Amino acid sequence: MFRFSHIFICIPLLAFINCNQAPAEKIKPNIVFLLADDLGFGDVNFIGGATETPNLNRLAEEGLFFNNFYSAGPNCSPSRAGLLTGKTPEKVGIYSYRPSHHPMHLPDQEITLAELLKTKGYQTAHFGKWHLGALARDPGLNHPQPSQQGFDYSFGTESNAVPSHHNPKNFVRNGNVLGVIDGYACQIVANEGIDWLNQRNEKAPFFMYFAFHEPHAVVASPQELVDKYQDQPEKDAKYLANIDHLDMAIGRILNYLEQNDLIDNTIIMFSSDNGSYRVASNGGLRAGKSSLYEGGIHVPGIIRWPEITTEKKVIETSAGLVDIVPTVCDLLQIDPPKNLDGTSILPLLRGEPFERSKPLYWFFYRTVPEIALRVGNHMVFGLDNDTVHRTHQYALKDAEYISSMTLKDYELYNLKDDFSQQKDIFKNHPEKDTLKALIDNQLIEIQSNLYPWKELPELLESRHKVKTGWAAFR
């Protein structure tokens, strides 16, 4: 799969050359993952989005676009946990977004993508939103820091950029709180990444995880970008400008890789942690952020790498963030961790037959439906429909609820024919009993492995709603 420029020649005059020596080790590809925050499936220009995304367009044109790509969860922290571990988030104890001072975090015993890559000599760096534990270290919580989960270098925020993307004050570099940084978050993150590249060891491959803050609220962008979308309502103009600005930051990273002759030996991946909270951003998919309907978890997926050999430009086979860890392990011949939920999609990049080892599935106790599972072109849902108010953070009462919840109703949609999920075909489907058993058993597995978090908060916070009120829209 890899190209080499060295040719070994054996002739008598060069008899001192050992022509029987083992061939040189293949050059390992660099890996760059670009993750947006709350960017919807329809937000990129080449899918029909209203904003300009020439750099993401370029990535898709030069690489593969996955038309059925999924986040690992319907909101921030769970999806990031799934990306870095290859496991569904609840399996590693991440049930919802993580607020400050909350005990929930990515456990230190979980093996991350960065840790796996370090076994192959990779330099590893994280830039942007962390959202998997306290950052910087909180002595009262003692959560593992990025440096303890495989990252040689870390520059980011515990959660969202504060007070907004403009002049954020909560960035932390390798454990040191930095205070206010002038500029906009996406460009600050890109600057730091480029500076790191300039200082890296050029003899070793690298893995860079860019977890951008955009377009998560509170958005902020240069006024000249907002003015580009003055035909839109003000709130929409600010949102679209934010994506435009994110694309510009990504473009700077791509340009650096190209200008420094790195891009042809770099795997570049792009996606979003979940769907958008903005109705028009999800490309006609049902619902949005926090929902397990397509609008909450169906996101753009792009992989650019010159060594891709399939003749296809668009992959219709479903894939997702939990597939990244097993794919990288497959590519680099790393022994994968046990009990992964993802499957290597390397065969799809090579145009080879692909078979998923287990169905993709999602669980989110805070909205309705509570559980979803994809089987071929179909998505089956389980619904409890309870009417108890749920808080934004994961609380003790939520853990108790998950352990005893049962599914009351089921829905089934053929996504090939009904991508907006408007026609529920469960009741008359000939395999409904099999699908029901499949999703029931998945819930039982989740309940049997409920993560034993200690000191969870009670349901005391003011932000609480009925389940149907938490998703962006149903």
Side-chain angles (χ1 to χ4, degrees):
M1 291 180 60
F2 303 92
R3 298 191 181 97
F4 300 91
S5 58
H6 305 291
I7 301 175
F8 297 94
I9 304 173
C10 292
I11 57 176
L13 293 176
L14 298 177
F16 58 89
I17 297 178
N18 180 6
C19 295
N20 293 320
Q21 67 185 25
E25 183 181 356
K26 292 180 179 180
I27 300 174
K28 299 182 182 72
N30 306 308
I31 301 172
V32 174
F33 201 100
L34 308 163
L35 187 70
D37 192 353
D38 287 1
L39 181 140
F41 180 73
D43 272 331
V44 285
N45 180 256
F46 61 86
I47 293 178
T51 192
E52 294 183 15
T53 56
N55 295 294
L56 292 178
N57 292 357
R58 171 192 172 187
L59 273 184
E61 290 166 1
E62 295 178 355
L64 275 179
F65 177 69
F66 287 76
N67 200 36
N68 289 281
F69 199 82
Y70 289 93
S71 64
N75 71 358
C76 305
S77 303
S79 205
R80 294 157 203 276
L83 166 62
L84 290 181
T85 66
K87 299 178 181 180
T88 52
E90 67 280 350
K91 185 176 285 187
V92 299
I94 307 296
Y95 293 95
S96 185
Y97 111 108
R98 183 195 173 274
S100 297
H101 312 299
H102 195 282
M104 185 175 67
H105 63 277
L106 182 63
D108 194 32
Q109 66 265 27
E110 294 299 333
I111 301 173
T112 69
L113 178 58
E115 290 175 291
L116 291 165
L117 287 169
K118 283 180 69 66
T119 67
K120 291 294 184 177
Y122 276 75
Q123 303 164 89
T124 57
H126 152 256
F127 307 92
K129 184 173 178 177
W130 181 239
H131 219 179
L132 293 171
L135 186 72
R137 183 181 300 281
D138 181 337
L141 294 173
N142 198 30
H143 291 173
Q145 298 296 286
S147 61
Q148 296 169 284
Q149 295 185 312
F151 290 98
D152 302 320
Y153 188 93
S154 176
F155 172 81
T157 61
E158 179 175 317
S159 181
N160 305 321
V162 175
S164 73
H165 301 143
H166 190 219
N167 296 342
K169 63 180 182 180
N170 59 327
F171 270 88
V172 178
R173 180 187 290 120
N174 296 328
N176 298 311
V177 179
L178 301 177
V180 176
I181 302 178
D182 292 337
Y184 292 89
C186 60
Q187 301 298 341
I188 292 169
V189 165
N191 290 344
E192 191 80 7
I194 291 170
D195 287 347
W196 182 83
L197 281 168
N198 283 326
Q199 300 173 40
R200 78 191 192 282
N201 177 0
E202 295 185 3
K203 296 182 179 180
F206 59 81
F207 166 52
M208 303 177 77
Y209 168 42
F210 287 95
F212 292 101
H213 301 83
E214 292 80 7
H216 193 293
V218 178
V219 300
S221 308
Q223 188 59 44
E224 60 268 24
L225 292 181
V226 179
D227 291 343
K228 285 175 60 176
Y229 303 97
Q230 58 186 321
D231 59 326
Q232 300 279 345
E234 182 181 8
K235 187 175 182 180
D236 289 343
K238 291 180 177 180
Y239 179 92
L240 297 174
N242 207 234
I243 296 173
D244 200 328
H245 206 202
L246 167 64
D247 185 82
M248 292 169 64
I250 289 173
R252 292 180 56 223
I253 296 167
L254 299 182
N255 289 341
Y256 180 96
L257 295 173
E258 185 168 40
Q259 292 165 7
N260 289 273
D261 298 322
L262 294 167
I263 200 164
D264 285 340
N265 189 43
T266 300
I267 302 171
I268 303 170
M269 296 177 273
F270 171 81
S271 191
S272 178
D273 64 342
N274 45 254
S276 178
Y277 52 87
R278 178 176 175 267
V279 174
S281 288
N282 294 318
L285 301 175
R286 183 176 179 179
K289 179 180 179 178
S290 295
S291 174
L292 295 186
Y293 288 122
E294 291 290 284
I297 57 175
H298 189 149
V299 292
I302 302 171
I303 299 179
R304 183 204 183 276
W305 184 36
E307 299 297 338
I308 290 173
T309 55
T310 181
E311 296 180 356
K312 296 180 179 179
K313 296 298 293 181
V314 177
I315 298 294
E316 295 293 344
T317 303
S318 57
L321 292 181
V322 293
D323 295 327
I324 300 304
V325 165
T327 301
V328 171
C329 288
D330 191 8
L331 174 66
L332 296 175
Q333 297 181 332
I334 300 172
D335 289 335
K338 296 180 179 179
N339 301 318
L340 295 185
D341 293 298
T343 301
S344 171
I345 56 173
L346 192 58
L348 295 176
L349 308 187
R350 294 172 169 168
E352 299 170 354
F354 170 78
E355 184 175 349
R356 185 165 291 283
S357 56
K358 63 182 300 185
L360 291 170
Y361 73 92
W362 301 263
F363 175 77
F364 197 51
Y365 68 93
R366 215 179 70 202
T367 56
V368 180
E370 290 84 0
I371 186 167
L373 189 147
R374 176 142 184 172
V375 183
N377 290 323
H378 291 79
M379 188 75 83
V380 59
F381 294 97
L383 298 80
D384 179 26
N385 292 323
D386 83 300
T387 56
V388 174
H389 282 60
R390 298 290 166 198
T391 55
H392 198 37
Q393 63 177 310
Y394 184 59
L396 180 60
K397 292 294 184 182
D398 298 320
E400 294 171 353
Y401 162 68
I402 293 171
S403 68
S404 60
M405 66 178 285
T406 57
L407 301 179
K408 312 296 193 305
D409 291 314
Y410 302 85
E411 295 177 2
L412 180 68
Y413 300 91
N414 184 332
L415 299 179
K416 185 176 181 179
D417 300 331
D418 179 24
F419 80 101
S420 295
Q421 296 174 303
Q422 297 300 307
K423 186 179 180 181
D424 177 11
I425 59 174
F426 180 79
K427 291 182 179 179
N428 296 318
H429 196 276
E431 297 181 23
K432 68 177 184 179
D433 291 339
T434 300
L435 294 170
K436 177 181 180 297
L438 196 63
I439 203 164
D440 283 344
N441 289 337
Q442 188 61 68
L443 177 59
I444 291 171
E445 180 183 318
I446 292 169
Q447 292 172 322
S448 299
N449 295 282
L450 194 64
Y451 202 88
W453 289 118
K454 298 179 180 179
E455 300 181 354
L456 286 174
E458 296 285 347
L459 293 178
L460 299 176
E461 67 167 331
S462 59
R463 297 182 68 188
H464 57 86
K465 305 176 184 177
V466 293
K467 285 187 174 182
T468 54
W470 273 120
F473 47 95
R474 195 172 190 273

